[in-house]
Amino acid sequence: MPGTATEAPSDGPEGSFPFMHSATGTTKFDVKLDQSPVMGSNDAPVDLYYWSDYLCPFCQTFAMKIHPQIAKSAIADGTLRVVFLQLPNIGENSFPAALMAKCVWRQVADDDPDLFWKWHHAVFEQQGEEGSGWADIKNLYKITEDVGIDTDAITTCIENRQDKIRKDIKAEVTVADRENIKGTPAFIFYNRKTGTSKKLAGAQPYATFKQAIQTVKNG
């Protein structure tokens, strides 16, 4: 079932909701920031490494109902920085969707990074039943076009950069494997100053995320 996004804040640490931007460097968990969308201030004390699969129904719940609440609170007040990572693990269309997500980010990161958030939500809004084919490449292109992203540029990215992007996704899966993350959605909270970290799995209630953020921030 499509989710309903929580009302978004109007401003925050990177200017305005949804606070999307590029970043550089490699985190303590070997997450390469220049390969992924980032949401929230680079000065935030707590990182959230967020693995997802666009075919995962629990990921849809997090994306549509919980993440917007986190954005209104811990991201908007500068406490949390979220890094979007790929962990294709559900079905045959999981990897093509992850590949397209990477190409969408490459296309919009410099000029209109907030379009990634719009695309990310649009894909989850269109999520259908398992085996329905809703996430085949033709439909993903239609969603991308409807969001206002140049699909010709996405095609060029997929054709010309697929090998590099596959390696990027594999690196994110490798980090997940090393941290014993087997499914989606999955999360690691990390305090970059103190080294305190905490893992969560699944579409936990917002209160659980709120508590985890506070615990890691104070750790």
Side-chain angles (χ1 to χ4, degrees):
M1 292 290 291
T4 302
T6 305
E7 183 181 355
S10 59
D11 53 35
E14 296 296 330
S16 61
F17 180 84
F19 329 126
M20 299 296 303
H21 61 92
S22 300
T24 59
T26 302
T27 74
K28 172 73 172 179
F29 287 86
D30 293 329
V31 173
K32 293 178 172 56
L33 296 175
D34 59 355
Q35 298 174 359
S36 300
V38 175
M39 185 184 204
S41 173
N42 282 328
D43 295 326
V46 179
D47 271 357
L48 174 55
Y49 310 126
Y50 159 38
W51 284 269
S52 186
D53 182 325
Y54 287 100
L55 276 68
C56 165
F58 299 107
C59 298
Q60 183 198 51
T61 298
F62 174 78
M64 304 306 298
K65 297 181 179 180
I66 302 166
H67 195 163
Q69 294 184 71
I70 294 171
K72 290 182 68 175
S73 53
I75 296 173
D77 70 15
T79 298
L80 189 70
R81 179 178 71 167
V82 179
V83 183
F84 292 69
L85 305 171
Q86 301 298 321
L87 182 54
N89 70 107
I90 301 297
E92 63 179 353
N93 290 322
S94 292
F95 191 88
L99 180 64
M100 183 165 285
K102 291 292 189 184
C103 281
V104 166
W105 178 242
R106 287 175 180 271
Q107 175 65 18
V108 306
D110 291 338
D111 297 327
D112 194 357
D114 291 351
L115 263 181
F116 179 84
W117 176 255
K118 186 176 180 181
W119 181 88
H120 179 79
H121 265 241
V123 175
F124 278 119
E125 285 173 344
Q126 295 296 318
Q127 189 183 90
E129 295 294 328
E130 183 177 356
S132 67
W134 73 271
D136 64 28
I137 196 69
K138 182 178 180 180
N139 197 45
L140 290 176
Y141 268 108
K142 177 65 165 58
I143 293 170
T144 302
E145 183 179 34
D146 289 346
V147 167
I149 297 170
D150 181 0
T151 54
D152 289 340
I154 301 303
T155 298
T156 299
C157 174
I158 291 173
E159 291 176 349
N160 297 340
R161 303 188 65 89
Q162 184 168 163
D163 289 346
K164 170 63 167 63
I165 295 172
R166 282 179 178 272
K167 290 179 181 178
D168 293 347
I169 295 172
K170 184 178 179 180
E172 294 172 8
V173 173
T174 297
V175 174
D177 287 343
R178 190 178 64 235
E179 298 302 321
N180 200 34
I181 290 169
K182 303 302 182 184
T184 49
F187 313 88
I188 295 179
F189 299 85
Y190 177 64
N191 186 318
R192 300 199 302 277
K193 290 185 177 180
T194 67
T196 300
S197 65
K198 182 177 179 62
K199 287 193 287 187
L200 284 181
Q204 303 286 343
Y206 168 67
T208 302
F209 284 90
K210 184 177 179 180
Q211 181 60 50
I213 294 165
Q214 194 63 42
T215 297
V216 173
K217 179 182 177 182
N218 294 338

